């Protein structure tokens, strides 16, 4: 049996789960070496470690380099060096792809190598593969979904009465959160993922700065309890929509009516909805965690081994980027003793103690009325 030899850049939660998965079920893959910052740190599996990246990047016995370290630098440089050294690359690093994906995919094409990144979006859920292949023949209108396992885990825990700080500490301990969880809760991780989905789905290139991004740091258990009393729920949702040839991308805490598929996810699960001219497709499953992410990495390595993928196609469309639409919003009084003022400006509809309004209120107006407002995710 021919064995494919891989080298790792990074050896944290995902790297260790990857080695376990390979040893359990992939005898055709051999893990030769891992580049790490600290060779003395305790790991759950044994792999020869080095602090010198050239031991992997320039190692003639390594066929595929796997980036599981995260961050923009030195990942960008090391991925380019690996491709120039005639190695295929598999990466779970959404940050480097969101900022430098176009450049890295061009280097891969010029070098005649593969750069695969299924693990970078929605962990173990094979949504990039579906967009790159099956759905690439269908014009898309919209991609949206819950794309950050940590935020989903934290919000669903808060709904059960677990305090925010404890839920976030649990997400870190369970290996869902980023090394710096600010990227999760401030929405940047979701922004990177919706950008990667949009680029593949709409065959285009989008600058990171054009993703209008808001996280969950302002959400309190009081907000969630109020929403629950109205039979509503909230999730951090990334959206990419193409309207009249204009593309807009947004990340925001968004409210839906119970039951809604975005609200029924457990713990770190993710869901992606793809609305196309051929109908709506749903992709759901474990979005964070070492083992789930490792399955996507192994799948990419296996595709490279079997050469069952086409070369990376350049993104040829250039859609003008349009600011995401602001609204409609759902609003309600912060204080349960205070009633919702009658006839709010831009009111579309009201149901008991909450109203749907076409545009958001400015901070002073929210203060004046004693209101909270969140983006409304349902059709009106
Ligand atoms: N921190 C990320 C999340 C990991 O919580 O979704 C998977 O990309």
């Amino acid at each position: 049996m021919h064995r494919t030899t891989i080298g790792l850049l990074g050896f944290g939660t995902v790297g260790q789960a990857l080695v376990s998965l390979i040893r359990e079920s992939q005898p055709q893959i051999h893990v030769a070496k891992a580049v790490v910052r600290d060779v003395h740190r305790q790991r759950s599996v044994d792999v020869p470690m080095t602090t010198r990246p050239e031991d992997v990047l320039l190692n003639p016995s390594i066929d595929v380099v796997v980036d599981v370290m995260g961050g923009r630098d030195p990942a960008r440089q090391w991925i380019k060096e690996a491709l120039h050294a005639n190695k295929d690359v598999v990466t779970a690093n959404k940050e480097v792809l969101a900022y430098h994906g176009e450049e890295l995919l061009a280097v891969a094409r010029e070098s005649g190598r593969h750069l695969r990144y299924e693990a970078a979006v929605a962990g173990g859920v094979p949504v990039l593969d579906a967009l790159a292949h099956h759905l690439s023949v269908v014009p898309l209108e919209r991609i949206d979904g819950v794309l950050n396992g940590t935020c989903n885990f934290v919000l669903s825990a808060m709904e059960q009465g677990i305090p925010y700080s404890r839920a976030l500490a649990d997400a870190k301990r369970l290996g869902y959160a980023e090394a710096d969880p600010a990227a999760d809760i401030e929405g940047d991780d979701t922004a990177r993922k919706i950008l990667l989905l949009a680029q593949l789905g709409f065959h285009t290139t989008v600058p990171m700065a054009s993703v209008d991004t808001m996280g969950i740091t302002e959400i309190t258990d009081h907000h969630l309890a109020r929403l629950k009393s109205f039979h509503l729920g909230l999730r951090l949702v990334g959206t990419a929509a193409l309207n009249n040839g204009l593309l807009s991308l947004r990340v925001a805490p968004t409210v839906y009516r119970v039951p809604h598929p975005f609200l029924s996810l457990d713990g770190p699960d993710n869901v992606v909805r793809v609305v196309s001219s051929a109908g709506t497709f749903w992709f759901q499953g474990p979005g964070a965690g070492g083992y789930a992410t490792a399955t996507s990495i192994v799948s990419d390595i296996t595709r490279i081994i079997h050469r069952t993928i086409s070369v990376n196609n350049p993104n040829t469309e250039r859609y003008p980027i349009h600011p995401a639409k602001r609204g409609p919003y759902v609003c309600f009084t912060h204080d349960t003793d205070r009633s919702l003022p009658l006839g709010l400006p831009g009111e579309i509809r009201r149901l008991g103690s909450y109203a749907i309004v076409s545009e958001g209120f400015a901070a002073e107006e929210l203060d004046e009325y004693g209101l909270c407002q969140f983006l409304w995710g349902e059709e009106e």
Side-chain angles (χ1 to χ4, degrees):
M1 178 180 55
H2 173 75
R3 286 178 101 198
T4 296
T5 300
I6 70 168
L8 307 183
L9 303 177
F11 197 26
T13 306
V14 175
Q16 292 167 65
L18 175 65
V19 172
S20 301
L21 180 61
I22 287 173
R23 292 194 177 149
E24 275 164 36
S25 64
Q26 306 294 324
Q28 79 283 18
I29 302 174
H30 167 64
V31 187
K33 217 174 252 304
V35 180
V36 297
R37 264 198 298 250
D38 176 5
V39 290
H40 301 295
R41 214 179 92 200
Q42 191 72 27
R43 267 105 180 164
S44 59
V45 280
D46 267 343
V47 165
M49 287 184 276
T50 174
T51 54
R52 293 157 32 106
E54 58 271 28
D55 291 348
V56 163
L57 301 175
L58 301 178
N59 185 331
S61 68
I62 288 177
D63 308 299
V64 180
V65 170
V66 179
D67 161 25
V68 279
M69 65 184 182
R72 266 174 265 180
D73 291 305
R76 175 189 184 187
Q77 193 52 36
W78 290 1
I79 291 173
K80 283 198 284 188
E81 283 176 28
L83 293 166
H84 283 138
N86 266 336
K87 299 181 191 315
D88 295 307
V89 175
V90 175
T91 176
N93 185 340
K94 51 247 157 160
E95 185 173 351
V96 77
L97 288 164
Y99 285 92
H100 304 297
E102 192 174 21
E103 175 196 13
L104 296 175
L105 287 165
V107 173
R109 273 193 304 280
E110 283 153 20
S111 316
R113 307 311 311 180
H114 294 293
L115 171 58
R116 304 274 303 167
Y117 54 98
E118 184 65 69
V121 178
V125 185
V127 62
L128 294 187
D129 196 57
L131 285 174
H133 296 93
H134 188 88
L135 290 175
S136 68
V137 297
V138 186
L140 305 188
E141 291 158 25
R142 178 188 178 91
I143 305 172
D144 59 2
V146 175
L147 300 169
N148 183 271
T150 301
C151 288
N152 197 63
F153 180 88
V154 167
L155 290 170
S156 42
M158 282 168 76
E159 284 171 350
Q160 311 299 318
I162 296 168
Y164 172 86
S165 54
R166 203 179 104 204
L168 185 58
D170 285 347
K172 281 194 233 174
R173 183 177 48 77
L174 294 164
Y176 305 146
E178 298 299 294
D180 177 3
D184 297 294
I185 56 171
E186 289 173 7
D188 300 312
D189 182 76
T190 302
R192 293 163 192 159
K193 291 168 176 168
I194 193 65
L195 176 138
L196 294 175
L197 289 167
Q199 294 195 149
L200 257 189
F202 296 109
H203 314 282
T204 192
T205 303
V206 183
M208 261 308 285
S210 61
V211 190
D212 183 357
T213 305
M214 190 192 297
I216 62 163
T217 48
E218 309 283 309
I219 311 293
T220 64
D221 46 0
H222 177 70
H223 293 138
L224 296 177
R226 291 283 279 148
L227 288 166
K228 193 173 175 185
S229 73
F230 308 140
H231 303 288
L232 304 176
L234 174 145
R235 286 294 179 269
L236 186 68
V237 172
T239 305
L242 186 61
N243 284 311
N244 301 321
L246 301 175
L247 189 61
S248 56
L249 282 85
R250 172 174 67 201
V251 175
T254 308
V255 170
Y256 300 86
R257 266 190 214 93
V258 177
H260 186 281
F262 289 1
L263 300 176
S264 59
L265 297 179
D266 277 338
D269 275 8
N270 284 187
V271 60
V272 183
R273 169 170 63 179
V274 180
V275 182
S276 80
S277 56
T280 299
F281 298 82
W282 293 87
F283 302 87
Q284 183 176 339
Y291 215 78
T293 310
T295 59
S296 287
I297 295 174
V298 169
S299 164
D300 275 347
I301 298 171
T302 309
R303 282 189 168 239
I304 289 171
I305 294 172
H306 296 301
R307 302 278 155 204
T308 53
I309 47 176
S310 51
V311 288
N312 308 303
N313 292 314
N315 286 331
T316 47
E317 303 287 346
R318 287 288 180 273
Y319 294 110
I321 309 289
H322 194 65
K325 191 166 153 270
R326 300 240 163 211
Y329 285 85
V330 57
C331 59
F332 49 90
T333 57
H334 187 266
D335 186 346
T336 39
D337 295 335
R338 200 165 162 179
S339 55
L340 196 61
L342 286 174
L344 285 166
E347 186 170 321
I348 300 171
R349 207 164 47 76
R350 73 170 57 199
L351 250 157
S353 302
Y354 71 89
I356 312 297
V357 294
S358 54
E359 296 195 13
F361 294 112
E364 316 79 69
E365 292 171 306
L366 289 175
D367 277 352
E368 183 191 330
Y369 294 124
L371 292 177
C372 321
Q373 69 181 10
F374 296 103
L375 205 62
W376 178 241
E378 313 248 357
E379 292 294 324
E380 278 307 315

